[in-house]
Amino acid sequence: MRLLFLGDVVGRPGREAVQRYLPALRARLKPDCVVINGENAAGGFGITEGIYQELLDAGADAITLGNHAFDQRETLVFIERAPRLVRPANLPPGTPGRGAALVELADGRRVLVINVLGRIEMDAVDCPFRATEREIELCPLREMADAILLDLHAEATAEKQALAWHFDGRVSMAVGTHTHVPTADHRLFPGGTAYMTDAGMCGDYLSVIGFDWREPTRRLVEKIPGSRWESASGEGAISGVLVETDDRTGLARRIAPVRQGAHLAEALPDW
């Protein structure tokens, strides 16, 4: 099975880049399942129902979220009728939505998509290790899921790596999101889990993590609050990772970065 994961979609440039490049990538790379992190898709803060549907129409099979999951208040309502929208599994009990989704593909195979938040330099949430353990116990690899994709939405690189090591051999892939900067450490762990510290973002790379550079730079220089951050408005690119799994085990056989679009060095697998 081939799993294509794209990092955080930031604002309109990110959405337009997904719409521009994903259909051709589906034809070229032939992924069986596409998952996109959409937590910054609405102007950089959260997601709306219209954007959720827009990303599905562009070719996504599931959308994950993160610490900005409920920045758009309408998400509190529509997430209950959005079965392929996955918010962090380690949010408090009673939070609307689901922390994992079992996505059934056209050929009958099933992919479990899990989203968790890190705790280092992030808001206080429940333990991501225990939350992931709970979701995997409910839907184990090879028993109920043909592949498991774990979105590690965290700030600290060490925390992402520790989570991946802890679940090595029990998930097909563990890929980080949140920092919006693609890393060069894609690899296979000894137990068969594919890993990358951060998938990068889908957005305008002439920016500060997808936002117009002026306000975040001014805040760093002057150290006083100012206007709201606005997503950048230039041409966007997409960034993510492609993983191929063994159908017998559900574990990864190979992994490669996927990058395409303006102001970003292109990387496309030749599998």
Side-chain angles (χ1 to χ4, degrees), residues 148-159:
I148 298 179
L149 185 154
L150 176 59
D151 177 354
L152 309 169
H153 199 80
E155 183 77 33
T157 55
E159 187 174 23

Side-chain angles (χ1 to χ4, degrees), residues 2 17-18 30 59 65-66 70 84 91 108 113 137 162 166 168 175 177 198 206 216 248 257 270:
R2 289 190 175 187
V18 169
K30 296 180 170 51
L65 296 172
F70 297 106
R84 299 194 178 197
L91 291 178
V113 179
E137 287 179 354
H166 189 75
D168 182 27
V175 179
T177 54
D198 202 285
L206 284 186
R248 295 178 298 105
D270 58 0

Side-chain angles (χ1 to χ4, degrees), residues 53-65:
Q53 189 59 54
E54 182 181 302
L55 294 175
L56 293 181
D57 291 343
D61 295 294
I63 311 295
T64 54
L65 296 172

